[in-house]
């Protein structure tokens, strides 16, 4: 079993540059227009706009004092144009969601009003067929850079964490 964990960590280490390829200085153009930045008094989360009145996100997100921000290119830039900020009316958790597991980790957020769809705010296209085990999928998000740390510092911390885990697994 130890060899499996070591191989997984080694694979993660090799793919670290791909995971950290986000450029926090990027502010040109439009980011993925269906992403919703879920700003709260706790930690931010990301959702997707599936209807002008509905956002889908992970149920494990803790969202006190939630504000939904759409049309965002870089969430840490408060002076962006074309941003729509809206409150929410209610949250509907998947009926079988449990904080003890990752199954059924879905949350629907009903917005207080319909958002205006434009070049910066669009609906996510929902799949029309099942996704199979070997299908390639894409995860859209923003890098979490609100701590104002440099990318090389993040890489250093993550590499240090991998090294500590490898030391623990060797023992």
């Amino acid at each position: 079993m130890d060899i499996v964990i070591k191989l997984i960590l080694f694979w993660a280490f090799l793919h670290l540059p791909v995971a950290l390829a986000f450029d926090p200085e990027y502010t040109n153009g439009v980011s993925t227009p269906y992403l919703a930045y879920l700003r709260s008094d706790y930690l931010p989360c990301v959702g997707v706009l599936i209807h002008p009145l509905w956002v889908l996100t992970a149920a494990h997100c803790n969202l006190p004092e939630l504000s939904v921000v759409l049309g965002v290119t870089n969430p840490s830039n408060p002076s962006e144009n074309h941003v729509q900020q809206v409150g929410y009316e209610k949250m509907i958790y998947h009926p079988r969601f449990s904080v003890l597991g990752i199954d059924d980790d879905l949350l629907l957020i009903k917005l207080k009003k319909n958002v205006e769809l434009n070049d910066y705010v669009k609906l996510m296209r929902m799949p029309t067929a099942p996704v199979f085990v070997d299908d390639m999928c894409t995860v859209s998000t923003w890098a979490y850079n609100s701590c104002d740390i440099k990318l090389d510092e993040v890489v250093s911390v993550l590499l240090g964490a991998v090294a500590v885990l490898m030391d623990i697994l060797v023992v």
Side-chain angles (χ1 to χ4, degrees), residues 7-145:
L7 287 172
I8 290 170
L9 288 173
F10 181 70
W11 178 87
F13 177 76
L14 289 177
H15 289 83
L16 196 57
V18 174
L20 298 173
F22 177 82
D23 178 9
E25 303 303 318
Y26 174 79
T27 56
N28 300 326
V30 179
S31 82
T32 312
Y34 55 78
L35 286 184
Y37 180 60
L38 306 177
R39 184 182 313 159
S40 74
D41 283 350
Y42 189 61
L43 292 174
C45 268
V46 176
V48 292
L49 188 65
I50 59 172
H51 179 277
L53 199 57
W54 292 94
V55 169
L56 177 67
T57 190
H60 71 262
C61 289
N62 184 3
L63 300 169
E65 302 298 318
L66 173 65
S67 176
V68 179
V69 186
L70 299 146
V72 176
T73 301
N74 182 347
S76 63
N77 180 2
S79 62
E80 283 196 73
N81 297 327
H82 311 291
V83 171
Q84 296 179 49
Q85 186 168 333
V86 63
Y88 74 97
E89 184 177 311
K90 64 180 169 181
M91 295 184 191
I92 303 172
Y93 291 85
H94 190 287
R96 291 189 307 266
F97 169 69
S98 168
V99 295
L100 302 176
I102 59 171
D103 294 332
D104 306 313
D105 190 10
L106 297 170
L107 170 64
L108 280 171
I109 301 172
K110 184 176 182 183
L111 304 177
K112 282 190 175 180
K113 64 179 185 175
N114 284 339
V115 296
E116 178 187 337
L117 300 179
N118 55 40
D119 288 341
Y120 302 92
V121 178
K122 295 183 180 183
L123 301 179
M124 184 186 83
R125 288 191 345 232
M126 298 299 280
T128 57
V131 178
F132 298 102
V133 173
D134 292 332
D135 284 353
M136 176 68 75
C137 296
T138 302
V139 177
S140 299
T141 190
W142 294 284
Y144 189 78
N145 63 337

